[in-house]
């Protein structure tokens, strides 16, 4: 509602008998403003409004700049614009509330509505100084100087008492070693460490909650013991338990990072630290109503001192792990790299360690174990990079398999005809067919030639048919089928039980059970 309209409405409501408080509520202004409105008649009000329109304001010289920002980024907040004015225009002569009012008027005048993102917060119990630090990760898509869009990754730290923040960005997803290096940088930034650190259930640090007996990754467990801090691990789907850091990550992404042009990661981190100094740690916090930098000055003496920073800069680290998939490949940067056949074990430990040196990718079974594979890194995405010796020589294997079976028969020409037919009919299952043939040869060798003649004569072109025929001939000759020892799986079963047969129920019994006559 325009000022002149509000003044007219205030006078109308006063004539209708409304008191000042009721008029203030209906007009959406304070009672003091209502007194000002009622103190002016219509002509004086018109003159006063015109004066307001004509007056110059400090932000007018930046009006076009602010409009350009709003048109390019309609979701910009007034707080972010205030920071940009300070950073890019070196303008800090007015308060943030004045910027908020000015931006609101520009949005209304030039019809630039703000894109709103609904956010939910929950109040948490305040903790004593030096008690707790919270850590979390985030990622953000940004525009580069050449117009491309890339994804960058951030780790954020916040002291729960003072809300004092530390942030670090990088261009690739975080590894365990990256996380530990950033911890060391954060401890150096704060000048100490808290008693407890709160984490989400991240695979870089934790393996399992294990009913409260937390299981950490090997490298993080060693680091935790070295630095001697307690870990509080958030339960799944419970963001409220680390609400402070959740808000910090959003604040960093959308107040500092959003709509900012990316040049290089070093410059980006320098800009972020500068933003923390002037904004992230300087702006009055909405909950504690104090500046984090001032509260931190009181909290710092309560932090536990740490020894000299640990080094995590070596590029020869095997902290990056990958799972071996059932097709004996690992995934790395959107590509698949092969490992030798048999590396994957259905019920085994399928974790391998990878190391990147220049353009080479090395895969090991353990940090100090044997080398499983070496690959040249691919710059593409969605590719399968496979070493030739990681594949089975299928043609040689099948041929050797056939030779083994062929030598078991007296008439090799006949068995060759049968084998060729199997290969043609069952190209995908030829190995399975040969295994069935080999089983028949092993258990019923005296009858295999007779069974082969029958199959060729009757056109039975299946290893399963062959097995049934040879088994049939063995029964005719009175030879009981022998149960191979390797098929008993080591179970100690008395011989008498193996010879026993199940009792057969009379057909009348089944009819009675089923309710028949």
């Amino acid at each position: 509602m325009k000022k002149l309209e509000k003044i007219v409405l205030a006078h109308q409501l006063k004539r209708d008998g409304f008191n000042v408080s009721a008029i203030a509520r209906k007009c959406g202004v304070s009672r003091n403003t209502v007194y000002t409105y009622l103190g002016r008649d219509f002509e004086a009000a018109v003159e006063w409004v015109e004066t307001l329109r004509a007056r110059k304001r400090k932000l007018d010289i930046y009006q076009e700049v602010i409009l350009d920002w709003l048109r390019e980024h309609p979701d910009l907040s007034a707080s972010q614009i205030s920071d940009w004015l300070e950073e890019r225009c070196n303008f800090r002569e007015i308060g943030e509330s004045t910027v908020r009012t000015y931006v609101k008027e520009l949005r209304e005048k030039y019809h630039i509505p703000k894109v709103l993102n609904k956010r939910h917060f929950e109040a948490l119990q305040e903790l004593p100084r030096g008690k707790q630090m919270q850590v979390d990760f985030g990622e953000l898509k940004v525009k580069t100087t050449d117009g491309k869009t890339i994804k960058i990754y951030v780790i954020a730290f916040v002291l729960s008492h003072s809300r004092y923040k530390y942030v670090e960005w990088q261009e690739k997803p975080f590894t365990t070693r990256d996380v530990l290096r950033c911890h060391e940088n954060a401890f150096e930034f704060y000048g100490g460490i808290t008693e407890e650190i709160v984490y989400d259930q991240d695979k870089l640090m934790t393996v399992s909650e294990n009913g409260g007996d937390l299981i950490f990754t090997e490298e993080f467990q060693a680091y935790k013991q070295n630095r001697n801090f307690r870990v509080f691990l958030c339960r799944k789907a419970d963001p409220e338990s680390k609400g402070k850091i959740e808000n910090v990550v959003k604040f960093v992404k959308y107040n500092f990072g959003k709509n900012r042009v990316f040049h290089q990661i070093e410059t980006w981190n320098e800009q972020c630290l500068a933003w923390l100094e002037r904004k992230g740690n300087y702006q009055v916090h909405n909950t504690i109503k104090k500046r984090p930098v001032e509260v931190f000055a009181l909290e710092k003496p309560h932090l536990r001192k740490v020894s000299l920073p640990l080094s995590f800069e070596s590029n020869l680290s095997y902290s990056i792990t990958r799972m071996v998939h059932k097709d004996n490949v690992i995934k790395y940067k959107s590509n698949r790299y092969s490992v030798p056949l048999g590396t994957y074990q259905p019920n085994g430990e399928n974790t391998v360690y990878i190391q990147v040196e220049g353009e080479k990718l090395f895969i090991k079974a353990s940090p100090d174990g044997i080398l499983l594979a070496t690959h040249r890194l691919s710059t593409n995405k969605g590719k399968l990079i496979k070493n030739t010796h990681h594949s089975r020589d299928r043609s040689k294997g099948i041929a050797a398999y056939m030779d083994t079976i062929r030598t078991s028969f007296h008439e090799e020409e006949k068995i060759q005809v049968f084998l060729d037919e199997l290969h043609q009919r069952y190209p995908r299952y030829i190995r399975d067919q040969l295994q069935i043939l080999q089983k028949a040869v092993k258990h019923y060798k005296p009858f295999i030639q007779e069974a082969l003649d029958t199959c060729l004569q009757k056109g039975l072109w299946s290893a399963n048919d062959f097995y049934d025929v040879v088994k049939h001939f063995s029964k005719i000759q009175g030879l009981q089928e022998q149960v191979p020892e390797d098929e008993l799986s080591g179970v100690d079963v008395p011989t008498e039980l193996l010879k026993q047969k199940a009792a057969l129920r009379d057909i009348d019994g089944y009819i009675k059970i089923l309710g028949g006559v």
Side-chain angles (χ1 to χ4, degrees):
M1 187 182 296
K2 303 299 183 182
K3 288 187 182 295
L4 189 58
E5 294 175 354
K6 288 185 178 182
I7 294 172
V8 173
L9 177 59
H11 282 276
Q12 181 64 46
L13 293 173
K14 183 65 175 178
R15 287 194 294 270
D16 292 342
F18 288 89
N19 61 27
V20 172
S21 296
I23 295 173
R25 287 194 298 272
K26 288 183 174 294
C27 293
V29 296
S30 66
R31 289 184 298 169
N32 289 337
T33 303
V34 172
Y35 286 122
T36 301
Y37 287 172
L38 296 178
R40 292 187 173 91
D41 57 21
F42 184 75
E43 290 76 11
V46 171
E47 183 178 350
W48 176 63
V49 170
E50 290 298 326
T51 302
L52 290 179
R53 290 176 178 174
R55 69 174 181 173
K56 290 186 177 181
R57 292 187 285 183
K58 292 182 178 180
L59 282 172
D60 284 344
I61 58 176
Y62 300 106
Q63 177 176 311
E64 291 302 320
V65 175
I66 296 174
L67 282 174
D68 288 341
W69 290 344
L70 290 174
R71 289 183 179 122
E72 185 177 359
H73 312 294
D75 55 345
L76 271 177
S77 65
S79 176
Q80 197 171 2
I81 289 176
S82 175
D83 179 61
W84 283 15
L85 286 170
E86 183 175 344
E87 178 188 16
R88 304 180 183 189
C89 305
N90 199 28
F91 180 79
R92 52 177 69 89
E93 298 179 14
I94 58 176
E96 192 169 300
S97 60
T98 305
V99 177
R100 189 180 302 114
T101 302
Y102 191 80
V103 170
K104 181 181 178 182
E105 292 176 0
L106 288 182
R107 287 187 179 278
E108 292 176 353
K109 181 178 180 181
Y110 293 94
H111 307 289
I112 309 175
K114 184 178 180 181
V115 179
L116 296 177
N117 293 316
K118 191 174 182 180
R119 301 171 68 183
H120 301 277
F121 302 97
E122 181 175 338
L124 298 175
Q125 199 74 286
E126 292 300 324
L127 296 171
R129 299 167 184 168
K131 176 70 175 178
Q132 186 189 87
M133 175 192 301
Q134 297 187 4
V135 183
D136 202 6
F137 302 88
E139 56 186 48
L140 182 67
K141 290 183 177 180
V142 294
K143 292 286 187 181
T144 63
T145 51
D146 55 2
K148 295 181 179 179
T149 300
I150 64 169
K151 185 184 290 187
I152 55 177
Y153 304 84
V154 63
I155 183 172
F157 300 76
V158 64
L159 298 179
S160 296
H161 176 78
S162 63
R163 307 311 202 271
Y164 200 67
K165 310 163 194 68
Y166 175 74
V167 177
E168 196 163 330
W169 298 80
Q170 65 181 43
E171 295 176 276
K172 60 183 179 66
F174 282 89
T175 64
T176 302
R177 185 161 291 260
D178 292 329
V179 171
L180 301 186
R181 172 178 51 78
C182 292
H183 274 65
E184 290 299 300
N185 293 341
F187 298 157
E188 184 177 2
F189 179 80
Y190 288 129
I193 184 175
T194 55
E195 298 175 15
E196 178 183 74
I197 303 182
V198 178
Y199 299 98
D200 206 346
Q201 292 195 32
D202 193 281
K203 64 182 180 181
L204 297 175
M205 293 166 286
T206 59
V207 176
S208 171
E209 287 183 278
N210 194 32
D213 298 324
L214 306 179
I215 301 176
F216 301 103
T217 60
E218 182 180 354
E219 195 162 6
F220 185 76
Q221 175 67 24
Y223 179 73
K224 172 179 167 295
Q225 291 176 346
N226 186 299
R227 284 309 190 197
N228 190 27
F229 58 86
R230 187 170 63 254
V231 169
F232 180 91
L233 190 66
C234 296
R235 302 295 296 272
K236 291 182 179 179
D238 183 25
E240 291 81 7
S241 56
K242 58 179 180 65
K244 298 180 181 69
I245 192 63
E246 292 276 350
N247 293 340
V248 168
V249 172
K250 293 177 184 177
F251 186 38
V252 171
K253 287 168 59 176
Y254 297 112
N255 193 287
F256 167 74
K258 192 173 183 180
N259 301 317
R260 185 179 292 267
V261 178
F262 180 88
H263 298 273
Q264 58 181 358
I265 196 65
E266 291 80 9
T267 304
W268 186 271
N269 275 314
E270 289 174 2
Q271 292 173 345
C272 190
L273 289 175
W275 172 85
L276 283 174
E277 184 177 351
R278 70 172 181 273
K279 187 78 173 180
N281 288 326
Y282 186 79
Q283 178 177 284
V284 175
H285 194 276
N286 189 48
T287 301
I288 62 176
K289 305 301 181 184
K290 299 175 182 177
R291 301 185 193 277
V293 64
E294 297 172 354
V295 184
F296 173 68
L298 301 175
E299 183 177 17
K300 187 174 181 179
H302 295 267
L303 299 176
R304 178 167 53 84
K305 300 298 181 181
V306 294
S307 58
L308 293 175
L310 303 176
S311 176
F312 292 94
E313 299 299 330
S314 174
N315 291 326
L316 303 180
S317 165
Y318 287 95
S319 63
I320 307 177
T321 61
R322 288 294 185 271
M323 294 301 295
V324 179
H325 295 258
K326 63 182 180 181
D327 51 353
N328 290 284
V329 299
I330 66 162
K331 294 181 179 179
Y332 180 70
K333 290 191 174 181
S334 302
N335 289 308
R336 294 174 297 151
Y337 294 87
S338 68
V339 292
L341 288 177
T343 302
Y344 174 80
Q345 298 297 323
N347 298 313
E349 176 58 49
N350 291 302
T351 301
V352 294
Y353 295 77
I354 65 174
Q355 168 192 352
V356 178
E357 291 185 33
E359 298 181 354
K360 291 291 187 67
L361 174 69
F362 299 93
I363 306 173
K364 279 194 172 187
S366 64
D368 300 318
I370 62 172
L371 184 66
L372 296 175
T374 303
H375 295 280
R376 181 174 292 277
L377 285 174
S378 174
T379 57
N380 299 317
K381 291 185 177 181
K383 299 294 184 181
L384 171 63
I385 296 88
K386 190 171 186 178
N387 287 350
T388 55
H389 62 276
H390 289 170
S391 299
R392 182 192 299 124
D393 190 346
R394 298 180 184 275
S395 59
K396 181 178 179 181
I398 295 299
Y401 214 157
M402 286 184 174
D403 287 340
T404 302
I405 294 174
R406 189 184 302 109
T407 56
S408 301
F409 289 81
H410 300 304
E411 300 182 53
E412 294 190 8
E413 292 182 0
K414 290 185 178 180
I415 187 59
Q416 185 63 51
V417 172
F418 190 76
L419 292 175
D420 291 342
E421 193 68 29
L422 287 184
H423 207 169
Q424 182 178 349
R425 290 173 180 264
Y426 303 97
R428 289 182 58 196
Y429 301 97
I430 185 60
R431 188 175 295 273
D432 300 316
Q433 290 281 310
L434 294 177
Q435 287 175 350
I436 296 171
L437 280 179
Q438 190 176 44
K439 181 180 178 183
V441 170
K442 179 180 179 181
H443 297 166
Y444 308 106
K445 189 168 184 179
F447 312 101
I448 58 174
Q449 193 64 49
E450 188 177 0
L452 177 61
D453 292 337
T454 302
C455 288
L456 293 176
Q457 182 182 354
K458 297 184 177 296
L460 302 176
W461 306 110
S462 166
N464 288 304
D465 291 338
F466 181 91
Y467 191 91
D468 291 340
V469 171
V470 76
K471 184 177 179 181
H472 172 71
F473 285 134
S474 73
K475 288 183 178 180
I476 292 177
Q477 298 295 326
L479 178 65
Q480 296 296 323
E481 182 177 7
Q482 299 297 318
V483 181
E485 293 182 1
D486 59 346
E487 294 183 11
L488 292 178
S489 303
V491 180
D492 188 14
V493 182
T495 308
E496 293 76 11
L497 293 180
L498 293 175
K499 294 180 179 179
Q500 290 186 10
K501 294 185 178 181
L504 300 178
R505 186 188 298 270
D506 188 82
I507 190 64
D508 293 336
Y510 289 103
I511 294 175
K512 185 178 180 179
I513 293 172
L514 296 173
V517 180

